[in-house]
Amino acid sequence: MGMKLICVQILFLALKVGSFHLGHRNRICMSDTNESTQNGGLFRISRRNALKNSLFTFSLLPALISNEPSLANEVSDEYTVENILLPFNGKQIPFEKLLGPNGTLVINGKLDDPAALQQMPDIVSAVRTYGKDGLHVIIVPTDQGYFEADEDRVVKIKFYQFYGFGQYPTAVVLDKVDIVGNTAHPLYKYLCRGLKNPNGVSRITLNFEKFLLDKNGLPVRRYPRQLPLNQVKDDILAVINGKDLPEPNKAYINLWAKAKAEAERS
């Protein structure tokens, strides 16, 4: 009942705002000019403005309603490393079991994105270089953005055939999930809410964004796809050795600015 009452009150306010703008503009029309054609023209414009003001208020209804506390929102804020399950080969695997002993990289990957040709050799190199030191790499495919037409099993096969990526448990390709929006998988709700990018944006904006996690699964740094992993080796080594990360350099900030511009163009 409370929600219905709020909606009725907002509807009443919208109509009242619209009527105010219509009446107010009409009075201005009548006082500003004595030419009936101009009066009519201004009157018609005022009616449209009034309608737009009413519709603008109506457009707030979904947003206001969505701010109503809900069980879904409460649960999504409680995702942790301990209660997140990841889809792998048709089964739900505890996130904890896929974490590297000393650190983990989580990457939203796309075979159909041309950027994969540049990204994947760099990712495979990181696995070969740091996998023996306890770093795991998890690639998360999705149908969002560029459509990944193949089924999960074929996606895994192609990652391995094309790039040599897929040696469990150091190099894992998950089953496809959503990574943005209300349907985003709990993994990405956990990562994105826990660590915004330097542009102040939580959500994923491009394929092959990377999260570096410590041995406990806590996200400690986030990288744009424009930044090769061989240029963040100091960060990776710090995580592997349980040390604090070095301060991000100017190139890191600049590449995030370029990522923002690329996302806006795409």
Side-chain angles (χ1 to χ4, degrees):
M1 291 297 293
M3 197 68 245
K4 289 182 179 179
L5 180 59
I6 292 173
C7 291
V8 170
Q9 289 174 336
I10 295 173
L11 177 61
F12 174 76
L13 176 62
L15 293 172
K16 193 171 182 180
V17 169
S19 300
F20 169 77
H21 280 274
L22 177 58
H24 182 63
R25 288 290 293 160
N26 193 27
R27 286 195 296 274
I28 293 173
C29 295
M30 296 301 290
S31 61
D32 284 350
T33 178
N34 291 323
E35 297 182 23
S36 59
T37 55
Q38 290 181 353
N39 286 345
L42 287 171
F43 181 72
R44 285 192 294 272
I45 293 172
S46 67
R47 285 176 65 92
R48 288 196 294 270
N49 287 341
L51 179 60
K52 285 199 296 186
N53 278 291
S54 297
L55 290 175
F56 173 74
T57 309
F58 293 152
S59 71
L60 294 177
L61 282 172
L64 290 169
I65 292 172
S66 67
N67 287 334
E68 190 80 359
S70 67
L71 180 60
N73 288 337
E74 290 174 3
V75 171
S76 66
D77 289 337
E78 296 176 358
Y79 288 125
T80 65
V81 172
E82 291 77 17
N83 63 24
I84 292 174
L85 297 175
L86 301 180
F88 180 68
N89 290 341
K91 299 178 180 180
Q92 296 296 320
I93 307 296
F95 185 21
E96 290 178 298
K97 290 191 175 182
L98 295 181
L99 290 175
N102 293 323
T104 307
L105 278 167
V106 178
I107 305 166
N108 58 302
K110 277 281 189 180
L111 283 171
D112 289 344
D113 187 340
L117 295 172
Q118 290 79 41
Q119 294 289 324
M120 287 307 302
D122 186 44
I123 294 169
V124 170
S125 177
V127 173
R128 291 173 178 168
T129 302
Y130 306 110
K132 62 183 183 298
D133 297 321
L135 180 77
H136 287 185
V137 179
I138 301 172
I139 287 184
V140 187
T142 180
D143 280 333
Q144 293 178 310
Y146 281 96
F147 182 62
E148 199 78 82
D150 295 314
E151 62 181 27
D152 293 325
R153 180 181 61 85
V154 177
V155 170
K156 292 178 175 63
I157 290 173
K158 285 186 174 180
F159 267 110
Y160 188 78
Q161 287 182 339
F162 295 170
Y163 302 107
F165 183 94
Q167 303 88 343
Y168 184 92
T170 54
V172 171
V173 180
L174 298 182
D175 298 345
K176 291 183 286 186
V177 298
D178 287 350
I179 60 173
V180 296
N182 293 332
T183 58
H185 188 275
L187 171 65
Y188 272 89
K189 291 181 179 179
Y190 166 74
L191 294 176
C192 292
R193 292 176 183 177
L195 188 62
K196 293 182 179 181
N197 68 35
N199 298 324
V201 177
S202 297
R203 63 181 174 82
I204 295 295
T205 57
L206 291 169
N207 296 323
F208 293 100
E209 284 191 23
K210 304 167 184 72
F211 286 89
L212 179 62
L213 283 54
D214 67 14
K215 65 179 182 180
N216 298 313
L218 180 69
V220 294
R221 189 154 289 170
R222 184 170 173 174
Y223 307 104
R225 72 179 187 181
Q226 291 84 353
L227 185 61
L229 288 175
N230 59 21
Q231 293 185 23
V232 297
K233 61 180 181 181
D234 290 343
D235 291 357
I236 295 174
L237 288 173
V239 164
I240 288 174
N241 293 309
K243 297 180 179 179
D244 293 336
L245 268 64
E247 290 295 320
N249 56 32
K250 189 174 181 180
Y252 173 82
I253 303 300
N254 290 340
L255 286 173
W256 267 115
K258 289 183 178 180
K260 180 180 179 181
E262 182 180 348
E264 290 172 350
R265 291 194 304 269
S266 60

